[in-house]
Amino acid sequence: MIWLSEKLEFPPHKTATKDGVLALGGDLSIERLKLAYSNGIFPWYSEGEPIVWYTPPERMLLFPEDLKVSKSMQKIIKKNDFIITENTAFEEVIFNCKTINRKDEFGTWITDNMQQAYINLHKNGFAKSIEVWRFLDTARNEKELVGGLYGVDLGNGFFCGESMFSKVSNVSKLAFIHLVNNCGYKFIDCQVYNDHLASLGAKEISREEFLRLL
């Protein structure tokens, strides 16, 4: 297992473990994160651990033409009960992704350093959020954030999804559907298999095929 030095580089993908671990250490600087994501590599670790860099053997992607919107979701969209925005509350979205209670999950992989690193990416134009709001008082224009997602956008035609949250049923799906239908990406990188995203049409492809798409 290679430990990264201060030099901005990663080892070849073929040196990754069978679980997709490519390297340890390094930092979460804007430059290193941009290099990682542009080469299909992402960090994923827990508080107190060294930074772990991944390139999974199977990659979960969603191509816009494969998006599946169920009849129940179509009804929710038509009701138009929520307001969807882009990049208006990035820090609130990542905070909620970090702190919201999730069933059958232990803690969060979004450490304090990770949170700040993606905020830094966003401030420099390399990360994006989608927000879903519910009105509390339409007369006063009071609303609350009830769902959303965030990820990395390096301007290369695809979006690297990081995390999403919901305080109301199905609103994270609303955010994801908006992302796919309205932001012009060639594909959405969902990283690893997830039942939630598979139900929306995401599928796994090999690492080699994924790298050819980058």
Side-chain angles (χ1 to χ4, degrees), residues 25-44:
D27 56 47
L28 296 173
S29 66
I30 291 173
E31 292 76 17
R32 191 180 296 276
L33 286 170
K34 286 175 62 180
L35 177 64
Y37 279 95
S38 64
N39 285 280
I41 302 164
F42 60 89
W44 192 14

Side-chain angles (χ1 to χ4, degrees), residues 5-23:
S5 65
E6 293 183 2
K7 190 175 181 180
L8 288 177
E9 62 180 5
F10 288 96
H13 288 266
K14 64 182 179 181
T15 65
T17 69
K18 64 179 182 179
D19 296 322
V21 177
L22 183 65

Side-chain angles (χ1 to χ4, degrees), residues 10 13 19-23 28 32-33 35-45 51-60 109 114 118 152 160-162 189-193 210:
F10 288 96
H13 288 266
D19 296 322
V21 177
L22 183 65
L28 296 173
R32 191 180 296 276
L33 286 170
L35 177 64
Y37 279 95
S38 64
N39 285 280
I41 302 164
F42 60 89
W44 192 14
Y45 67 104
I51 301 171
V52 184
W53 299 91
Y54 280 87
T55 174
E58 299 291 328
R59 198 77 170 213
M60 190 81 163
W109 59 268
M114 288 278 274
Y118 288 96
V152 176
C160 304
E162 282 298 316
D189 174 17
C190 306
Q191 299 180 343
V192 295
Y193 184 86
F210 171 67

Side-chain angles (χ1 to χ4, degrees), residues 26 44 64 68 81 102 136 188 193 196 200:
W44 192 14
K68 297 177 181 177
D81 288 337
R102 302 177 190 270
L136 296 175
I188 310 298
Y193 184 86
H196 180 70
L200 288 164

Side-chain angles (χ1 to χ4, degrees), residues 47 98 110-117:
E47 195 72 60
K98 176 182 178 180
I110 306 175
T111 67
D112 291 344
N113 287 341
M114 288 278 274
Q115 181 179 3
Q116 188 58 54

Side-chain angles (χ1 to χ4, degrees), residues 58-207:
E58 299 291 328
R59 198 77 170 213
M60 190 81 163
L61 299 185
L62 186 136
F63 297 91
E65 61 269 23
D66 294 332
L67 178 65
K68 297 177 181 177
V69 182
S70 67
K71 290 183 179 179
S72 59
M73 279 305 302
Q74 291 176 22
K75 290 179 181 179
I76 291 172
I77 293 170
K78 287 180 180 178
K79 287 180 69 176
N80 201 28
D81 288 337
F82 300 96
I83 304 99
I84 301 176
T85 58
E86 299 178 15
N87 285 328
T88 64
F90 185 92
E91 294 188 28
E92 288 183 65
V93 168
I94 193 170
F95 175 79
N96 277 279
C97 288
K98 176 182 178 180
T99 59
I100 196 166
N101 290 325
R102 302 177 190 270
K103 294 180 180 179
D104 303 322
E105 292 187 15
F106 299 92
T108 177
W109 59 268
I110 306 175
T111 67
D112 291 344
N113 287 341
M114 288 278 274
Q115 181 179 3
Q116 188 58 54
Y118 288 96
I119 289 173
N120 292 341
L121 276 179
H122 174 68
K123 288 180 176 178
N124 284 271
F126 302 115
K128 180 184 184 71
S129 63
I130 304 294
E131 305 90 18
V132 182
W133 308 84
R134 177 175 60 186
F135 271 117
L136 296 175
D137 186 332
T138 54
R140 297 182 180 180
N141 199 31
E142 294 179 356
K143 59 185 185 294
E144 65 171 334
L145 183 66
V146 293
L149 60 82
Y150 77 94
V152 176
D153 178 355
L154 300 181
N156 48 10
F158 63 93
F159 181 84
C160 304
E162 282 298 316
S163 188
M164 57 177 61
F165 80 96
S166 289
K167 293 183 178 179
V168 177
S169 296
N170 293 311
V171 292
S172 64
K173 287 185 179 181
L174 273 180
F176 188 78
I177 291 167
H178 175 90
L179 178 78
V180 175
N181 284 338
N182 296 279
C183 296
Y185 295 114
K186 297 176 183 177
F187 62 85
I188 310 298
D189 174 17
C190 306
Q191 299 180 343
V192 295
Y193 184 86
N194 178 296
D195 287 336
H196 180 70
L197 296 174
S199 70
L200 288 164
K203 60 185 179 182
E204 287 184 313
I205 64 172
S206 69
R207 177 195 295 140

